[in-house]
Amino acid sequence: MNVEGKTAPGESSAAPVPRHGRTVLVLLGACLVLVGLNLRTVFSSFSAVLPELTADIGLPGWAVVVLTTVPVTLLGVFAPLAPWLARRFGAERVLLGAMALLTVGLVIRPSELPGAGHLPTLLAGTAVCGAAISVCNVLLPGVVKQDFPHRLGLMGGLYTTAICASAALGAGFTYPVYALTGQWTAALWVWAVPAGVVLLLFLPLALRIPRHRVVPGKVGTAVWRSPVAWQITAFMVLQAMMSFSVFAWLAPILRERGISGGTAGLIVSTSIALQMLGSLFAPALAARCRDQRAINVVVALMTGSGFALCIFGPLGLIWAWAALLGLGQGSLTAVALTMITLRTRNGPTAARLSGMMQGVGYGVGSTGTLMVGQLHQGTGSFAAAGVLFLVVGALAAVFGYRAGISRYVGG
């Protein structure tokens, strides 16, 4: 029996055996990656046409704040609900339901309510999308642990890369759709199409897969009382603080340093592309290592220092600093999520840990964006934010070291 806090062997010396045949696994793996490709377009697509949307409907300032922060907040609010739903209905079926909810939210979001305008549907659709994405975020690692125990590194890399790619897709294609159609509603509606396609592709497979029945006593311990789970959660909180701040503030940081809007956009795009590269390879590397202490520390320090160097470093090397930040951030996000599968013995426990670390991680981690904004407003520059994230990166390295020790959460 595993004693938490110490290195624990696997439940058996035999290699883990997948629950499904090869064909089902290939189809399921493809569907999980496609689900990941829809989990960040909500955030980046809205930002891409925010000026046009605001000018068209006279969006008040408070609504802008709500529409940009509520989805992130809901990622934490609904995360603890996902494991309970998975135990009751089966993880694959709940993922299917979440994709249906996401599609509905994306359709509602740009709609116009007769007599009330766009604001009520923007608020309602955004809230629905945030709830659906929260459930998907939590359940994906558990499904990977449950259905791909023999390919944790590969599947972890693929779905985390897909999540990073979804942010780039939303940022890169929303405005061209607006330019082509002249309507911000069309630019937002278009993202309901890929979500609906994934829903249709996933539907027969999710209904075909039998609900996974958990044997009592093998579900694992209560993760909220686990020191290991809290170390992983702290690691997640700190990476989320940096992640959301990079998405929100990297472009303004570059503009404040005198870089033109077009060049700043290219630098941000390159950094995001390198995030995808880091998120693809980091989970496989982490899964192959005896423990993950070294990789966790390195990527945490890369991210914190990359963020600070974008503020303080010589401007002539700004592409290098952005590349360091991108590689570090993508790898950091990926290895933080990979800890879910590497520190648990079974899918249900992975779902519980995922709900805890993402609920707390996104809920608390989203304050990083607010802190950067407040520091900038109070000091008139991003220098204080650079110091802040040197500290955050160092703390992430400390908790990443602890989370990287090879042991399991529970039995």
Side-chain angles (χ1 to χ4, degrees):
M1 181 178 295
N2 173 63
V3 178
E4 185 170 286
K6 297 183 179 180
T7 303
E11 290 181 285
S12 170
S13 59
V17 178
R19 297 194 301 131
H20 310 295
R22 182 178 180 84
T23 301
V24 172
L25 285 178
V26 170
L27 293 173
L28 179 60
C31 286
L32 295 182
V33 172
L34 291 173
V35 168
L37 278 172
N38 285 273
L39 297 187
R40 293 296 180 270
T41 56
V42 169
F43 305 98
S44 54
S45 62
F46 180 77
S47 299
V49 292
L50 182 58
E52 291 75 20
L53 187 157
T54 302
D56 183 44
I57 67 174
L59 198 65
W62 67 265
V64 174
V65 173
V66 170
L67 289 167
T68 53
T69 58
V70 161
V72 178
T73 304
L74 291 179
L75 295 185
V77 170
F78 284 92
L81 182 63
W84 177 83
L85 290 172
R87 290 194 300 272
R88 185 172 178 84
F89 301 107
E92 292 86 359
R93 287 174 172 81
V94 176
L95 267 179
L96 178 68
M99 285 305 299
L101 196 64
L102 178 60
T103 304
V104 170
L106 289 168
V107 170
I108 291 174
R109 189 169 60 148
S111 302
E112 184 174 7
L113 197 64
H118 287 281
L119 184 55
T121 53
L122 276 170
L123 293 169
T126 300
V128 169
C129 290
I133 292 169
S134 175
V135 172
C136 291
N137 279 344
V138 171
L139 292 187
L140 275 174
V143 173
V144 169
K145 179 70 176 182
Q146 178 175 286
D147 293 323
F148 299 89
H150 58 311
R151 293 288 186 270
L152 293 181
L154 174 63
M155 284 305 302
L158 288 175
Y159 88 77
T160 53
T161 300
I163 291 174
C164 289
S166 69
L169 289 171
F173 287 96
T174 302
Y175 191 85
V177 174
Y178 168 77
L180 182 66
T181 63
Q183 297 180 334
W184 63 266
T185 51
L188 294 185
W189 259 322
V190 72
W191 296 109
V193 175
V197 170
V198 174
L199 175 63
L200 293 177
L201 292 174
F202 193 29
L203 177 63
L205 185 63
L207 296 180
R208 174 184 172 185
I209 294 175
R211 177 186 167 192
H212 180 55
R213 296 190 179 277
V214 179
V215 179
K218 290 191 176 182
V219 176
T221 60
V223 295
W224 292 91
R225 295 196 297 269
S226 164
V228 176
W230 277 109
Q231 289 162 11
I232 298 170
T233 298
F235 187 44
M236 181 69 174
V237 166
L238 294 162
Q239 82 79 22
M241 290 181 70
M242 291 189 282
S243 178
F244 288 128
S245 297
V246 167
F247 284 133
W249 293 107
L250 180 56
I253 286 169
L254 298 176
R255 296 295 298 275
E256 187 171 282
R257 296 202 66 183
I259 297 173
S260 68
T263 302
L266 288 175
I267 294 173
V268 173
S269 297
T270 301
S271 186
I272 291 176
L274 289 172
Q275 282 190 34
M276 294 165 57
L277 183 65
S279 67
L280 179 61
F281 291 105
L285 178 61
R288 288 178 179 271
C289 294
R290 185 177 63 87
D291 64 44
Q292 293 72 42
R293 287 176 290 182
I295 188 172
N296 287 357
V297 169
V298 168
V299 298
L301 294 178
M302 284 176 63
T303 306
S305 60
F307 193 99
L309 284 167
C310 284
I311 298 173
F312 300 123
L315 200 57
L317 295 175
I318 192 64
W319 287 93
W321 310 143
L324 177 67
L325 174 60
L327 281 172
Q329 186 62 66
S331 301
L332 178 61
T333 301
V335 295
L337 292 172
T338 303
M339 290 297 101
I340 299 170
T341 58
L342 296 181
R343 293 293 170 265
T344 55
R345 290 184 181 273
N346 51 59
T349 305
R352 288 185 176 184
L353 177 60
S354 183
M356 171 185 173
M357 68 178 286
Q358 295 196 62
V360 177
Y362 288 124
V364 178
S366 60
T367 61
T369 302
L370 179 62
M371 292 171 66
V372 173
Q374 292 298 312
L375 287 171
H376 182 263
Q377 184 176 1
T379 64
S381 78
F382 286 107
V387 175
L388 169 68
F389 283 99
L390 282 174
V391 175
V392 172
L395 289 174
V398 171
F399 284 101
Y401 183 90
R402 295 296 302 166
I405 299 173
S406 182
R407 61 262 171 95
Y408 292 117
V409 174

